[in-house]
């Protein structure tokens, strides 16, 4: 088996495990902006939604990186897709994850 493929699979599994840990609330430390903010700023967020959004975004990015090479041959496709996902993440972070 190709060494690059083995490294890609190991990296993918590590990120998926991290995403699941975030969704389960076991890795809040990885959400640096939330974890190191003041208690007043933390109170502005719905932490369950923030965990779901962060973990889901990681899994979605991994899926895109595995699927895009089969869909398109454009070199910039991964970069454009990543920029769109980050923009959507920031939009949802500032709207959907805010505490009511």
């Amino acid at each position: 088996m190709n060494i690059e493929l083995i490294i890609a699979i190991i990296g993918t599994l590590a990120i998926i495990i991290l995403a699941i840990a975030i969704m389960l609330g076991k890795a809040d430390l990885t959400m640096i902006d939330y974890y190191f903010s003041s208690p007043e700023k933390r109170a502005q967020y719905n932490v369950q939604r923030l965990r779901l959004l962060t973990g889901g975004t990681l899994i979605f990015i991994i899926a895109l990186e595995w699927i895009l090479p089969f869909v398109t041959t454009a070199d910039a496709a991964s970069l454009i897709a990543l920029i769109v996902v980050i923009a959507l993440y920031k939009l949802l972070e500032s709207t959907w994850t805010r505490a009511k």
Side-chain angles (χ1 to χ4, degrees):
M1 193 182 276
N2 194 348
I3 191 73
E4 290 88 11
L5 182 60
I6 293 172
I7 292 170
I9 291 171
I10 291 171
T12 297
L13 291 175
I15 292 174
I16 289 174
I17 290 169
L18 175 66
I20 292 170
I22 289 171
M23 285 189 219
L24 294 175
K26 304 295 182 190
D28 284 345
L29 178 62
T30 59
M31 297 186 300
I32 292 174
D33 189 36
Y34 175 77
Y35 188 78
F36 289 111
S37 62
S38 65
E40 295 83 24
K41 188 173 180 184
R42 279 190 190 187
Q44 295 175 355
Y45 288 99
N46 182 337
V47 70
Q48 288 81 15
R49 286 185 177 182
L50 186 61
R51 288 175 183 152
L52 182 66
L53 178 66
T54 304
T57 302
L58 284 173
I59 291 173
F60 187 69
I61 288 172
I62 288 296
L64 275 178
E65 290 301 318
W66 278 96
I67 292 171
L68 278 177
F70 298 108
V71 176
T72 183
T73 58
D75 291 335
S78 291
L79 179 61
I80 293 169
L82 185 62
I83 290 170
V84 169
V85 169
I86 290 171
L88 288 173
Y89 175 85
K90 293 306 281 181
L91 176 71
L92 289 173
E93 181 188 35
S94 63
T95 56
W96 185 62
T97 61
R98 294 291 177 162
K100 305 240 181 301

